[in-house]
Amino acid sequence: ELKVEQNPLFLSMQEGKNYTIYCNYSTTSDRLYWYRQDPGKSLESLFVLLSNGAVKQEGRLMASLDTKARLSTLHITAAVHDLSATYFCAVDMGTWGNNDMRFGAGTRLTVKP
Amino acid sequence: DTAVSQTPKYLVTQMGNDKSIKCEQNLGHDTMYWYKQDSKKFLKIMFSYNNKELIINETVPNRFSPKSPDKAHLNLHINSLELGDSAVYFCASSPYGTSEKTQYFGPGTRLLVL
């Protein structure tokens, strides 16, 4: 059975600092997604990583994928309060036509002034 | 012009009742999904439909029954509600047959069973 493990599960950081969230998964997949969820809200897509070595950046967030190590990272640069949210990685186990996403437990990020 | 909409947004009901949650997407996607998010924020897929055909049917109690009248709608009916059914239920949709297949989520339905 596929396991998707995120760590840390809780992260409290100061504004201006850098940190990395890790997402390990237990079986072969070359499609990985990162989502953000604000409290009481829906999930918002951040990144789609489709191949080994893929790197995507948006603002202070950068995501990467190493399919051989079965590892994705979400790096936060110079954190600001607005980044406070829960971040989920999801591994796609589906076929070409459909996707079958299995989510990690989420990392609850709090950025303090 | 909401992309994925769900009704109702909140649902409070008694144990043993039957309830339905509706989902509609106007993105032209072929595939729709239901997820359950528990109190610890863990997200689990329940069902997936592609163009009205059931694709994923995870291990959920058979009190849960999805219905897809057309590819823009996927409803979730729950019979004999139990306390453990209290959760947030998200509907999502994605395009079929593209490389990215990002899922777009609805706003969620917060179900509380008393």
Side-chain angles (χ1 to χ4, degrees):
Chain A
E1 184 184 329
L2 171 68
K3 288 185 181 177
V4 183
E5 295 181 342
Q6 281 183 241
N7 71 82
L9 297 182
F10 297 91
L11 176 55
S12 179
M13 53 192 296
Q14 296 284 333
E15 278 192 329
K17 298 290 187 184
N18 303 335
Y19 208 85
T20 300
I21 299 170
Y22 296 89
C23 175
N24 288 90
Y25 53 99
S26 62
T27 192
T28 304
S29 173
D30 57 3
R31 285 194 301 277
L32 189 133
Y33 302 79
W34 284 95
Y35 282 85
R36 168 181 172 147
Q37 186 178 34
D38 291 305
K41 302 290 187 183
S42 185
L43 281 86
E44 173 192 354
S45 176
L46 293 174
F47 300 109
V48 181
L49 302 167
L50 297 177
S51 60
N52 186 41
V55 176
K56 289 197 174 176
Q57 182 161 7
E58 180 74 35
R60 300 174 188 274
L61 300 178
M62 184 172 73
S64 67
L65 178 62
D66 180 343
T67 58
K68 292 179 183 175
R70 298 178 185 171
L71 170 69
S72 179
T73 60
L74 181 66
H75 187 72
I76 303 155
T77 301
V80 293
H81 179 69
D82 285 353
L83 290 179
S84 297
T86 300
Y87 293 86
F88 292 93
C89 66
V91 177
D92 188 354
M93 300 304 301
T95 62
W96 177 84
N98 299 299
N99 64 0
D100 179 359
M101 292 204 301
R102 305 299 164 131
F103 282 80
T107 296
R108 202 168 300 188
L109 172 65
T110 304
V111 181
K112 298 181 177 177
Chain B
D1 57 346
T2 306
V4 183
S5 59
Q6 293 179 229
T7 53
K9 197 167 181 181
Y10 299 95
L11 188 50
V12 181
T13 187
Q14 299 286 333
M15 263 184 8
N17 284 349
D18 303 339
K19 291 292 177 187
S20 291
I21 307 171
K22 295 186 176 181
C23 178
E24 176 180 1
Q25 55 95 4
N26 62 7
L27 296 167
H29 291 165
D30 294 287
T31 311
M32 296 183 73
Y33 311 80
W34 277 110
Y35 289 87
K36 178 180 180 180
Q37 186 173 44
D38 63 24
S39 58
K40 294 183 179 177
K41 301 281 191 186
F42 187 69
L43 265 164
K44 187 180 177 204
I45 189 162
M46 301 172 69
F47 302 103
S48 163
Y49 268 75
N50 180 62
N51 204 9
K52 303 196 295 176
E53 180 186 347
L54 183 64
I55 301 296
I56 297 171
N57 185 2
E58 283 296 296
T59 309
V60 300
N62 57 15
R63 299 181 293 103
F64 290 79
S65 54
K67 282 194 170 57
S68 182
D70 56 61
K71 74 174 195 176
H73 295 85
L74 180 62
N75 304 323
L76 183 65
H77 188 75
I78 315 169
N79 288 329
S80 303
L81 277 155
E82 299 177 359
L83 294 176
D85 297 333
S86 296
V88 181
Y89 292 84
F90 286 100
C91 176
S93 72
S94 68
Y96 178 88
T98 64
S99 59
E100 291 208 352
K101 301 202 291 286
T102 298
Q103 290 190 16
Y104 295 85
F105 283 78
T109 295
R110 283 145 187 84
L111 171 65
L112 178 60
V113 182
L114 302 174

